Amino acid sequence: MEPNRNIFREYDIRAVYEEDLKGELPYYLGKSFGSAVKKDGGKSVCIGGDNRLTTPEMKDKMIKGISESGCNVADVGIVPTPVLYFAIHKYGFDAGAMVTASHNPPEFNGVKMVIGNKSLYGKDIQKLADLIEKNDFEKGHGEIRTMEADGDYADFMLKNFSFKNTLRVGIDTGNGTLGPLIVPLFKKLGIDVFPLYTDSDPSFPNHLPDPLVPENLKDLIKTVLDNKLDIGLGYDGDGDRLGVVDENGGILWGDQLLIIYAREILKKSPGASVIFDVKCSKSLEEEVKKAGGVPVMWKTGHSLIENKLHTEKAPLAGELSGHLYFADDYYGFDDAVYASLRLLRIMDRTGKKPSALLYGVKKYHATPEIRIELPDEKKFEAVENIKSHFTSKNLRISDIDGVKVFFTDGWALVRASNTQPALVVRMEAENAGSLEKIKKEFLATVDTFLV
Ligand SMILES: [Zn+2]
């Protein structure tokens, strides 16, 4: 079997279903994943899937493949990704697979995989493709059973959260997998829910379930303003990313949310590390220090940030994109429901609205992500050349992930995209004038290295 290697990406497998996943590939993916689990010494796999039309077929084929590798499989059905992660931890499975294409359009599907405490990425995902090409699988007859995990997940949240005040909360799940779970859960917690697109509809008729795109939050912003709500919460298709709208209709990104969480957690755990990706604002670093913590900047990407949280034994990690990880009173995976409840609890305890929770935070000006198309075979070399250029100018740089150049009044970051043939640029500065200047000069420099 010769799969399209391009669908084996840095953090997951993802493709247009009809083009690259349909047919026997999911069965072979199951066999290769099950084989990897067995080689790691494991035998039990929990599997779930999102609400896409192609998910049941893809999941069933994967289950068959996993069981024929000799692993036992427990199928938790159609669930948001955090419920699958929760099930792995709560019931002690050796591994897990989530059939999902997160926020991608309806024609896509894919799979995210976990072995032990680690999300698969990079070489480990390429190895699955190698096993399929070589037809090199473990053999056996694992048991297959179905089980329910939503109930225990909801019970965990009900046991761990309670609210004195009735918070008025807008919720937009973009017709993804999370709506049918979160609305009744939040109502049971006494939250006054204003639901938007919370029914499951994998044709995503209203907007793609991706709160990182401001356009996708505009209906939620309107709902918050029209009804004078305390907050609006937007989720991605499989419920592992959160976008927040404050009481004034402003968008709070992942780095701002981390400031709010860090201030609470560092009171309890002074001196703890807070992990965040290179795209985050300097204000996060400043606020973590002010709150008595150690800011740790790390590579962008779900699996990388999550692994760093474990190796640094940090209570909190997150990304600008809205993946938020709590190892403080929780298991350390990214769960947008849990992250929302932590935020609502801070609002409840302090009596403050979201914008007021960011008191004293210096406001920087930043660009959105700028994508510059560049073929995969050229993008890494371009970043290396840009790095040498700025190093020779005696500017302070960080090469944790791509190259981040620090100027006196701001910074600029350029990285090779892990998922697309492109460079990704983002810049931040103390004021609009400085940002314009950095943007003009930095983009002009990057441009000279694209040929
Ligand atoms: Zn997601």
Side-chain angles (χ1 to χ4, degrees):
M1 169 112 207
E2 291 274 335
N4 176 358
R5 298 280 309 209
N6 291 331
I7 73 170
F8 294 79
R9 311 191 314 165
E10 184 68 10
Y11 313 119
D12 51 28
I13 292 164
R14 208 167 286 182
V16 172
Y17 191 79
E18 290 295 319
E19 285 173 13
D20 286 314
L21 279 171
K22 178 175 85 166
E24 290 311 293
L25 183 58
Y27 165 67
Y28 286 103
L29 278 175
K31 281 167 86 94
S32 63
F33 179 60
S35 301
V37 173
K38 277 183 83 181
K39 282 186 184 128
D40 190 64
K43 201 179 177 344
S44 62
V45 177
C46 188
I47 190 167
D50 71 13
N51 67 339
R52 285 164 197 272
L53 292 177
T54 54
T55 292
E57 181 180 293
M58 176 159 167
K59 183 158 65 65
D60 284 349
K61 287 179 180 172
M62 278 197 73
I63 289 171
K64 183 168 184 282
I66 295 169
S67 92
E68 287 180 19
S69 74
C71 290
N72 299 324
V73 193
D75 178 7
V76 292
I78 303 306
V79 293
T81 296
V83 172
L84 186 267
Y85 291 158
F86 177 86
I88 297 170
H89 286 91
K90 162 110 183 150
Y91 313 117
F93 287 100
D94 299 321
M98 178 72 194
V99 176
T100 179
S102 189
H103 59 275
N104 281 137
E107 62 273 22
F108 282 78
N109 216 327
V111 60
K112 300 179 186 178
M113 292 155 288
V114 179
I115 296 180
N117 216 354
K118 284 172 87 177
S119 295
L120 292 200
Y121 71 95
K123 284 197 190 80
D124 290 335
I125 292 180
Q126 294 306 318
K127 272 188 211 154
L128 299 182
D130 295 343
L131 293 179
I132 294 172
E133 279 175 1
K134 289 187 244 156
N135 203 28
D136 176 15
F137 306 115
E138 303 280 320
K139 287 191 185 67
H141 299 281
E143 287 167 18
I144 300 170
R145 68 185 166 111
T146 56
M147 65 178 286
E148 203 259 359
D150 298 50
D152 282 348
Y153 178 82
D155 285 347
F156 178 92
M157 299 302 159
L158 290 168
K159 216 171 92 194
N160 283 277
F161 291 93
S162 61
F163 300 95
K164 294 191 300 282
N165 306 295
T166 305
L167 294 167
R168 303 174 73 240
V169 179
I171 287 180
D172 183 347
T173 55
N175 302 104
T177 315
L178 187 56
L181 181 145
I182 197 170
V183 173
L185 171 63
F186 277 26
K187 283 184 176 164
K188 272 188 199 156
L189 284 162
I191 295 163
D192 194 2
V193 179
F194 290 70
L196 204 58
Y197 318 138
T198 51
D199 51 324
S200 168
D201 182 346
S203 71
F204 307 134
N206 297 292
H207 60 73
L208 283 184
D210 185 0
L212 191 57
V213 179
E215 175 71 16
N216 294 338
L217 290 171
K218 76 177 198 296
D219 295 346
L220 181 60
I221 291 171
K222 189 172 182 312
T223 301
V224 167
L225 295 177
D226 287 353
N227 299 286
K228 296 191 171 58
L229 303 185
D230 297 313
I231 191 170
L233 303 168
Y235 300 89
D236 80 337
D238 62 329
D240 59 5
R241 281 195 295 119
L242 173 66
V244 171
V245 172
D246 73 16
E247 76 280 15
N248 305 314
I251 298 172
L252 302 191
W253 302 108
D255 47 3
Q256 292 167 297
L257 299 175
L258 283 172
I259 292 174
I260 297 172
Y261 298 130
R263 285 173 167 177
E264 184 194 52
I265 288 174
L266 288 167
K267 271 184 206 148
K268 197 166 86 179
S269 314
S273 298
V274 175
I275 319 288
F276 53 88
D277 75 317
V278 288
K279 295 178 189 172
C280 289
S281 171
K282 190 179 174 200
S283 60
L284 171 57
E285 193 180 319
E286 291 168 347
E287 293 303 323
V288 169
K289 278 188 198 155
K290 260 199 247 171
V294 179
V296 179
M297 185 168 75
W298 195 236
K299 299 170 209 260
T300 290
H302 160 259
S303 317
L304 305 168
I305 292 283
E306 186 184 63
N307 290 341
K308 190 71 175 167
L309 171 117
H310 292 305
T311 55
E312 295 277 324
K313 297 197 168 35
L316 175 67
E319 295 172 77
L320 185 71
S321 62
H323 284 285
L324 299 156
Y325 312 76
F326 290 84
D328 172 69
D329 295 337
Y330 203 46
Y331 297 111
F333 58 80
D334 44 341
D335 179 340
V337 177
Y338 185 80
S340 317
L341 290 170
R342 292 285 296 234
L343 182 58
L344 296 180
R345 188 165 72 190
I346 294 171
M347 290 166 61
D348 185 55
R349 283 176 178 171
T350 59
K352 288 195 167 96
K353 299 271 168 82
S355 72
L357 289 171
L358 288 167
Y359 60 92
V361 177
K362 185 165 168 182
K363 282 208 171 60
Y364 288 91
H365 293 249
T367 63
E369 283 205 333
I370 300 167
R371 283 182 182 271
I372 304 171
E373 281 183 34
L374 196 64
D376 284 329
E377 58 276 17
K378 286 194 179 161
K379 63 186 186 184
F380 295 103
E381 196 190 326
V383 170
E384 277 308 306
N385 292 337
I386 296 165
K387 184 171 113 186
S388 314
H389 170 83
F390 282 106
T391 311
S392 73
K393 299 267 175 210
N394 277 330
L395 285 161
R396 183 163 79 87
I397 66 149
S398 160
D399 61 356
I400 288 175
D401 185 1
V403 56
K404 190 169 183 178
V405 187
F406 298 90
F407 305 101
T408 46
D409 50 358
W411 54 261
L413 167 75
V414 58
R415 349 175 356 260
S417 168
N418 280 319
T419 51
Q420 287 169 317
L423 295 180
V424 188
V425 179
R426 180 173 158 88
M427 289 155 283
E428 183 184 76
E430 306 216 338
N431 55 61
S434 298
L435 184 63
E436 259 327 292
K437 193 168 157 279
I438 289 175
K439 191 173 158 187
K440 214 173 134 202
E441 290 172 11
F442 191 75
L443 289 179
T445 307
V446 167
D447 209 47
T448 62
F449 291 100
L450 297 183
V451 278

